[in-house]
Amino acid sequence: AGGGPLLPDSVLYEIFLYLDHVDVLSVGLVCQQWHAVARDEFLWKELFYRYYRISREVPRHPAAVSWYDEFQRLYDTIPCVEVQALKEHNDQVLHLSFSHSGCLFASCSKDCTVKIWSNELDISLQHSSNMRPYNWSYTQFSQFNSDDSLLLVSGVFVGPHNSSSGEIAVISMENFTLLSRVRNKPYDVFGCWLNETNLISGNLHRIGRITSCSVLWLNNAFQGIESENVNVVKRLFKIQNLNASTIRTVMVADCSRYDSPDLLLDYEEQLAASSTSTCPVFDLGSDSEEEEAKPKQTPEPAVQELPDDGGVRAEDGLQQLFDDIMEGRVRPAMTETELETKVAELFVRNRTKPPELNLLSMDSNSKTKYLIFTTGCLTYSPHQIGIKRILPHQMTTAGPVLGEERRSDEFFDSLDHVIDIHGHIIGMGLSPDHRYLYVNSRAWPRDCIISDPMQPPPIAEEIDLHVFDLKTMKEVKRALRAHRAYTPNEECFFIFLDVSRDFVASGAEDRHGYIWDRHYNICLAKLQHDNVVNSVAFSPVEQELLLTASDDTTIKVWRSPRAVRIQQARKPRPRKLLFSWLMNQKS
């Protein structure tokens, strides 16, 4: 007890066996002697570190009152008890999303419906919208706006000659009517809300065989406005893509919430110290801490990295390149792909609007938001995270349209920040306070070289879950591991993850959903399905409730042991009802 010697492993083992068979919360009722042991801080600290195999350098959760409470939290509040299976979909369920109030949630499926569910004690189906009449192949993503009055639904649209692109639909939650539809290309841009009435979509324009231009549009949800003086659409950004890459998976982070995070992940409170040196590109392919510590010498984002030609203009550089090719001075000879990429880089050099000021110097009270998306520069598989600042005047469709506010020579927008993942990105999610970005990726082999953008490197079966601090633009945790995926590059699909105040959850291709603790970086639960788990979703108001969606066509509802006990306690007891009936009969 107290500050006594370490407990022998045999004693701890007996405690483990005891805890496996007896409810921790009722232990104090078993005997008075155990109640004293249950409040022994030294014992529970020792038990905690050994049971969960956590390094002793990791401090206790900042909100915890005692080690006993922490053991109780991780034992009793994890949503790992299946309480309901929803089987109304008749094909693979791809995505889940809660309303901000937690009263509703939506599900998307290969059966081409989006279903709205009422989140009560027993979850029930409230509405189902079939999108096949609009030539959709399936629904893939949904998101409620900030006041839960509108639902954005993203799907795959089958156009002429069976060409598939994306489309976004906006549905009113008041009467479930379809308000508007917006084209979205490629379809895995998904789309997202910028504010209550404006959403972001994408378009893709081919420039060459492996060169293209992604345009991100701001759309008014109410497209039926009939006025020549009111814009319903406005171009936000126009970004060049090299080596067959495209912009996908857009989301918006609210920067004004960074200084009041729900949970700080830096154990040593280093987030309070501002760094004087910044680096716009962080390469996760290196395991060398010394190499990571060195400041990068390229202040521009990766999409703008070009060799210094001594101040030569881009037009002169192009002419020089063509002269060298014609006279045979280019050695070794360039392939058609290499030539296209080189010409595109030279063309964009003087035709790109410069990036905004340093993101790290931004006022913490700013109303600025970040547009976050996956992109790349080496191959078509998404291997970078691009970040672009959205300024307040850009958050409405009013004002100049079609880029009239830019100079004629500023044909493209540059990225404000790029994070290199060194692997295939298959999922992203924001913490509830928008401070941290969680990224699912499948790593490339170390030191791999990409010579053909149409032949990306093989990807690992293990899924790495990276964590980035969007205030410092640094990775703050070692990658979480447990979940796996098996599909190759060309068949790789998105696996949605979700983050609550204390937990992070993700699907996987190994027929399980997974839950980790955000503070301790440990896997806490595996949630079984009969097929691939595509999506997970925590209730935004009750993190002890989790949903999982699978290719097995079901949505499973998981609650914590504590929530299950509370729920069962609320149900009427048949014995009491029978006793009351008998007493009434006697009287």
Side-chain angles (χ1 to χ4, degrees):
L6 297 179
L7 292 172
D9 288 344
S10 59
V11 176
L12 290 172
Y13 181 71
E14 292 298 323
I15 296 175
F16 297 154
L17 291 179
Y18 188 75
L19 292 179
D20 283 340
H21 295 88
V22 181
D23 184 353
V24 168
L25 298 185
S26 62
V27 164
L29 302 177
V30 176
C31 66
Q32 294 180 353
Q33 293 179 347
W34 178 256
H35 182 76
V37 175
R39 295 298 178 179
D40 190 305
E41 271 293 275
F42 180 82
L43 183 148
W44 284 103
K45 179 179 180 180
E46 188 71 20
L47 182 62
F48 192 92
Y49 280 124
R50 295 199 184 195
Y51 186 75
Y52 289 108
R53 299 178 182 179
I54 300 172
S55 169
R56 295 181 182 275
E57 297 177 356
V58 178
R60 195 173 65 195
H61 191 289
V65 177
S66 66
W67 286 105
Y68 170 79
D69 290 337
E70 272 301 85
F71 210 111
Q72 177 179 316
R73 178 179 73 87
L74 296 188
Y75 173 88
D76 212 34
T77 65
I78 309 301
C80 58
V81 181
E82 180 184 342
V83 296
Q84 196 174 354
L86 309 175
K87 301 181 179 180
E88 278 77 357
H89 283 290
N90 55 36
D91 207 336
Q92 301 170 2
V93 188
L94 302 180
H95 185 256
L96 299 163
S97 65
F98 267 99
S99 63
H100 294 82
S101 67
C103 297
L104 302 172
F105 69 87
S107 58
C108 296
S109 169
K110 281 288 184 71
D111 64 13
C112 207
T113 66
V114 54
K115 298 186 186 297
I116 315 298
W117 307 80
S118 178
N119 180 26
E120 299 173 346
L121 198 59
D122 287 321
I123 292 173
S124 59
L125 181 63
Q126 187 168 345
H127 177 78
S128 181
S129 292
N130 182 13
M131 301 303 292
R132 289 200 190 278
Y134 305 101
N135 291 328
W136 282 30
S137 177
Y138 58 89
T139 60
Q140 61 176 352
F141 174 83
S142 65
Q143 186 181 51
F144 289 84
N145 69 340
S146 57
D147 64 2
D148 295 335
S149 61
L150 303 173
L151 179 67
L152 176 154
V153 182
S154 173
V156 176
F157 175 85
V158 181
H161 310 293
N162 291 324
S163 62
S164 62
S165 60
E167 190 166 83
I168 296 172
V170 179
I171 297 176
S172 169
M173 287 294 97
E174 182 179 0
N175 49 18
F176 303 111
T177 56
L178 181 64
L179 298 179
S180 59
R181 292 158 55 203
V182 176
R183 287 295 174 89
N184 189 41
K185 185 177 180 181
Y187 60 83
D188 50 3
V189 168
F190 294 121
C192 66
W193 291 104
L194 177 61
N195 49 41
E196 288 184 7
T197 58
N198 292 287
L199 60 100
I200 296 174
S201 65
N203 201 356
L204 184 67
H205 304 281
R206 294 291 176 185
I207 299 175
R209 190 175 71 89
I210 60 170
T211 308
S212 64
C213 172
S214 288
V215 182
L216 296 172
W217 294 90
L218 184 63
N219 308 267
N220 194 305
F222 303 95
Q223 297 275 318
I225 299 175
E226 296 181 0
S227 171
E228 296 181 356
N229 300 319
V230 179
N231 300 324
V232 294
V233 64
K234 177 180 179 180
R235 190 176 77 188
L236 271 179
F237 306 116
K238 188 174 184 180
I239 298 169
Q240 186 195 46
N241 304 311
L242 300 176
N243 290 321
S245 65
T246 60
I247 287 178
R248 316 179 193 192
T249 319
V250 297
M251 60 178 58
V252 173
D254 186 352
C255 308
S256 64
R257 300 160 67 178
Y258 289 173
D259 286 340
S260 55
D262 297 327
L263 176 67
L264 285 173
L265 297 183
D266 193 316
Y267 297 143
E268 300 178 359
E269 296 295 325
Q270 294 177 347
L271 299 179
S274 59
S275 175
T276 55
S277 60
T278 61
C279 169
V281 180
F282 297 95
D283 188 354
L284 301 185
S286 171
D287 290 335
S288 169
E289 295 183 1
E290 294 181 0
E291 184 175 336
E292 291 177 359
K294 293 179 181 178
K296 305 289 183 181
Q297 298 301 316
T298 50
E300 300 294 329
V303 292
Q304 290 195 353
E305 289 180 354
L306 291 173
D308 185 4
D309 295 325
V312 178
R313 294 187 309 151
E315 292 82 356
D316 297 336
L318 278 172
Q319 185 61 52
Q320 183 65 48
L321 175 63
F322 293 146
D323 292 342
D324 290 343
I325 293 173
M326 295 301 295
E327 297 178 17
R329 291 196 297 267
V330 178
R331 292 287 185 265
M334 283 186 175
T335 65
E336 182 180 342
T337 297
E338 292 171 336
L339 178 59
E340 180 179 327
T341 300
K342 181 66 175 178
V343 170
E345 288 177 341
L346 288 169
F347 174 79
V348 77
R349 184 176 181 186
N350 287 344
R351 289 174 171 80
T352 300
K353 187 178 181 180
E356 301 292 342
L357 298 176
N358 191 335
L359 297 185
L360 303 182
S361 64
M362 184 180 58
D363 182 5
S364 60
N365 296 321
S366 170
K367 295 181 179 179
T368 301
K369 296 182 179 182
Y370 287 162
L371 181 64
I372 302 172
F373 45 84
T374 63
T375 182
C377 64
L378 301 175
T379 180
Y380 69 82
S381 65
H383 55 276
Q384 292 180 321
I385 299 169
I387 300 177
K388 186 67 180 173
R389 183 186 300 184
I390 306 177
L391 300 175
H393 73 272
Q394 297 173 310
M395 298 183 191
T396 172
T397 55
V401 296
L402 299 178
E404 293 176 359
E405 73 279 1
R406 72 183 67 224
R407 302 199 313 264
S408 59
D409 60 338
E410 291 179 343
F411 196 69
F412 297 109
D413 293 285
S414 60
L415 303 186
D416 296 329
H417 196 88
V418 177
I419 300 173
D420 200 318
I421 299 298
H422 197 77
H424 193 130
I425 300 171
I426 60 170
M428 293 198 303
L430 288 166
S431 60
D433 54 22
H434 288 204
R435 173 71 176 264
Y436 299 99
L437 176 68
Y438 287 75
V439 181
N440 267 336
S441 74
R442 297 173 61 184
W444 291 338
R446 186 180 301 177
D447 301 325
C448 65
I449 297 176
I450 301 175
S451 56
D452 183 354
M454 304 308 294
Q455 298 290 330
I459 50 180
E461 289 187 353
E462 295 83 6
I463 301 176
D464 295 329
L465 183 50
H466 301 282
V467 190
F468 296 94
D469 186 343
L470 292 178
K471 185 175 182 179
T472 63
M473 295 297 171
K474 293 182 179 179
E475 188 175 20
V476 293
K477 291 280 189 181
R478 286 292 180 183
L480 303 174
R481 279 188 176 180
H483 48 332
R484 303 175 73 88
Y486 308 107
T487 51
N489 258 316
E490 62 274 11
E491 301 173 14
C492 201
F493 54 87
F494 217 69
I495 294 179
F496 294 94
L497 58 93
D498 196 24
V499 189
S500 70
R501 185 187 69 244
D502 295 313
F503 308 127
V504 55
S506 174
E509 291 185 41
D510 57 13
R511 303 183 179 185
H512 288 89
Y514 290 82
I515 303 175
W516 293 265
D517 184 81
R518 292 178 60 197
H519 176 74
Y520 297 108
N521 255 31
I522 53 175
C523 184
L524 298 170
K526 291 175 65 176
L527 313 175
Q528 188 166 2
H529 272 268
D530 294 330
N531 212 321
V532 173
V533 178
N534 296 305
S535 179
V536 296
F538 286 102
S539 166
V541 296
E542 183 188 2
Q543 66 174 355
E544 296 179 38
L545 168 62
L546 177 72
L547 307 175
T548 55
S550 171
D551 280 357
D552 63 15
T553 74
T554 66
I555 300 170
K556 288 190 176 183
V557 184
W558 308 83
R559 295 187 185 273
S560 68
R562 186 178 74 94
V564 170
R565 284 198 311 276
I566 295 174
Q567 183 175 342
Q568 290 175 344
R570 291 174 178 172
K571 294 182 178 179
R573 297 183 180 180
R575 288 186 178 180
K576 286 188 175 181
L577 293 176
L578 179 60
F579 180 77
S580 300
W581 180 81
L582 289 173
M583 293 300 292
N584 292 331
Q585 292 298 315
K586 287 183 178 181
S587 60

